[in-house]
Amino acid sequence: MTSATAKTVTAPAPVTDAGPEPGAGSGFGPGPGAGPAGRTDVLRVARDVADDLAADAVPRDRAGRQPADEAARLREAGLPGLLVPPGPGRGVDWRTGCAVIQEVATADSSVGALLARHYVHTWSGRFYGAAHRASALEGDTAREQWLWSGDVHTTPPDGAAPELTLTPLDSGHLLHGRVAVDTAVTVADQFVVDAFCAVTGDVLVVRVPSGRPGVSVEPAGDRLGQRVAGAGSVTFDRVTVAPAQVLGPRPHDAESTAPFTALADPALRLALCHVGLGIAEGALAEARDTSRNALPAKDPDLLLAYGELASAAHTAAVVVERATETMAGALEAGPHLGVEEPADVAALVATAETVTARAALHITTRVLELADTPGLDRFWRNARVLTAHRSTAHRLRDIGEHYLNGTHRLAAVGR
């Protein structure tokens, strides 16, 4: 049930283009998805959802509850079903998906992060599995409005025990362990995780419906920021995983990773860059509206401050846009992606992360000095939490290594 302040947002009609799907032989082509008219409809829905979320963003942030109401609003608008990879009569292309994420994040970055991770997780069937299974899974997600959550890790450090393990059965596996997830822990319909097979040592990416026996969730406690994202942990206690729920293997290292699979991690990091842009733009717009009413519009120091902040936001947007276009082209290439291209994409994503993190932190800090608006601090807190797990120095070293040595290692760099 949506809150009393929420307005009804109508989902657009599903795409009905029955024409041939580009890349049909591979199963990974972009498909018709949301064409020009479909893109307009999807972005209109995103704007309506963003307006709805903005209306009560401050009290919801202060309450810090799990996002049950927010998930209901998203489902009512149809966004979980729209934000799937493009295919015949469904889904959106990468550019459109990122535009939706950023639009929503501008109003509420917690919900923007939830959608970012959902959208990238719905690509998991393509990143790790067979085309026919991916297509069926994406169709089910679009039809059932499934909301996805989970986490796919890099390999644990030497000597560290894996968080999740799989024990083979005559048919399928038993999944056991506990893993932290960043969004939607109590409201997700599907969890995608990777686990080590106790017998073969292979790492398998699996999909587990949230209502399965043995699946339990624990919400995170009070958080500094991103309070409505729904972070927490998921425990799997001898959960049966059918063969059809195994999406595919996750390679152990960059050398054994197929080029298209290597896009999985950069895709998630790039989607979160759009959340960071949304935070910066939302903070700047809210502070601007307050300053227009409270201070002289021609104050030279005020104009200088806002000029600096607007330039930082525009610069980050341009860098992220370049990475987004390059990622979109790589995803459309599918299995025809060249072996060197993932490293080039990952380098652009690392650059986008670095620039966006700096811009978001700078803008959200500075606006607190320029405007006295209740709730404006949430943008700073959200930016801090979003960027806390990313080391700028580490990213810059990776960029430098790729620039100097042309290394392929960036394609498999962890979050």
Side-chain angles (χ1 to χ4, degrees):
M1 178 180 297
T2 56
S3 72
T5 59
K7 67 180 180 181
T8 300
V9 182
T10 304
V15 182
T16 56
D17 184 351
E21 179 180 3
S26 67
F28 289 106
R39 175 184 171 88
T40 300
D41 289 343
V42 171
L43 293 180
R44 173 184 56 77
V45 171
R47 283 190 291 271
D48 288 346
V49 169
D51 290 343
D52 180 37
L53 292 169
D56 60 350
V58 174
R60 287 186 297 101
D61 174 76
R62 287 173 178 166
R65 300 187 183 96
Q66 285 292 304
D69 176 72
E70 291 79 2
R73 300 189 199 190
L74 295 178
R75 291 190 175 100
E76 182 180 355
L79 279 183
L82 291 170
L83 284 183
V84 298
R90 66 171 182 272
V92 295
D93 63 90
W94 181 255
R95 301 170 186 86
T96 303
C98 288
V100 168
I101 290 163
Q102 186 171 328
E103 184 76 41
V104 172
T106 301
D108 188 325
S109 66
S110 291
V111 181
L114 184 152
L115 284 177
R117 292 182 181 275
H118 159 82
Y119 183 49
V120 177
H121 286 322
T122 65
W123 285 81
S124 297
R126 301 194 186 197
F127 287 140
Y128 302 106
H132 69 283
R133 284 190 177 180
S135 180
L137 193 55
E138 292 158 15
D140 289 343
T141 298
R143 183 174 56 256
E144 301 295 334
Q145 290 287 328
W146 283 341
L147 187 61
W148 286 63
S149 182
D151 200 20
V152 178
H153 304 276
T154 55
T155 304
D158 291 341
E163 292 177 301
L164 300 178
T165 58
L166 288 165
T167 302
L169 303 173
D170 290 339
S171 178
H173 298 79
L174 286 179
L175 177 63
H176 187 78
R178 184 172 182 268
V179 64
V181 297
D182 291 295
T183 58
V185 66
T186 62
V187 297
D189 301 296
Q190 304 288 331
F191 291 110
V192 58
V193 296
D194 60 343
F196 283 75
C197 179
V199 174
T200 66
D202 294 332
V203 184
L204 301 178
V205 179
V206 301
R207 172 187 63 88
V208 182
S210 59
R212 282 290 174 86
V215 178
S216 59
V217 300
E218 181 180 351
D222 292 339
R223 307 184 80 206
L224 172 68
Q226 299 292 75
R227 292 173 173 174
V228 196
S233 61
V234 186
T235 299
F236 302 97
D237 185 9
R238 295 178 60 81
V239 176
T240 301
V241 177
Q245 293 172 239
V246 177
L247 301 183
R250 181 180 64 75
H252 290 277
D253 49 48
E255 288 70 24
S256 59
T257 302
F260 193 78
T261 302
L263 296 178
D265 183 75
L268 178 56
R269 293 189 283 114
L270 180 55
L272 293 175
C273 285
H274 284 273
V275 178
L277 273 183
I279 293 174
E281 292 175 357
L284 193 54
E286 199 163 304
R288 176 198 60 197
D289 293 344
T290 300
S291 295
R292 280 174 173 171
N293 298 324
L295 296 171
K298 297 298 184 180
D299 182 285
D301 292 333
L302 184 66
L303 296 178
L304 177 62
Y306 275 100
E308 177 194 5
L309 298 182
S311 296
H314 290 324
T315 300
V318 170
V319 175
V320 173
E321 179 63 22
R322 183 184 178 193
T324 301
E325 286 294 324
T326 305
M327 176 67 76
L331 292 172
E332 289 166 5
H336 305 295
L337 187 68
V339 294
E340 296 183 359
E341 291 182 68
D344 296 334
V345 173
L348 288 176
V349 171
T351 303
E353 281 184 294
T354 302
V355 174
T356 303
R358 286 178 170 174
L361 291 171
H362 175 59
I363 290 170
T364 57
T365 300
R366 188 75 173 94
V367 294
L368 294 176
E369 304 168 2
L370 300 175
D372 183 14
T373 305
L376 191 60
D377 63 299
R378 74 187 188 278
F379 293 104
W380 176 83
R381 290 187 283 100
N382 291 344
R384 295 285 295 181
V385 169
L386 184 70
T387 61
H389 64 280
R390 292 180 254 173
S391 167
T392 299
H394 176 70
R395 291 289 181 236
L396 288 172
R397 290 190 188 99
D398 285 336
I399 296 166
E401 183 174 354
H402 180 265
Y403 183 76
L404 287 173
N405 303 318
T407 179
H408 301 297
R409 186 173 65 84
L410 267 175
V413 72
R415 285 176 286 122

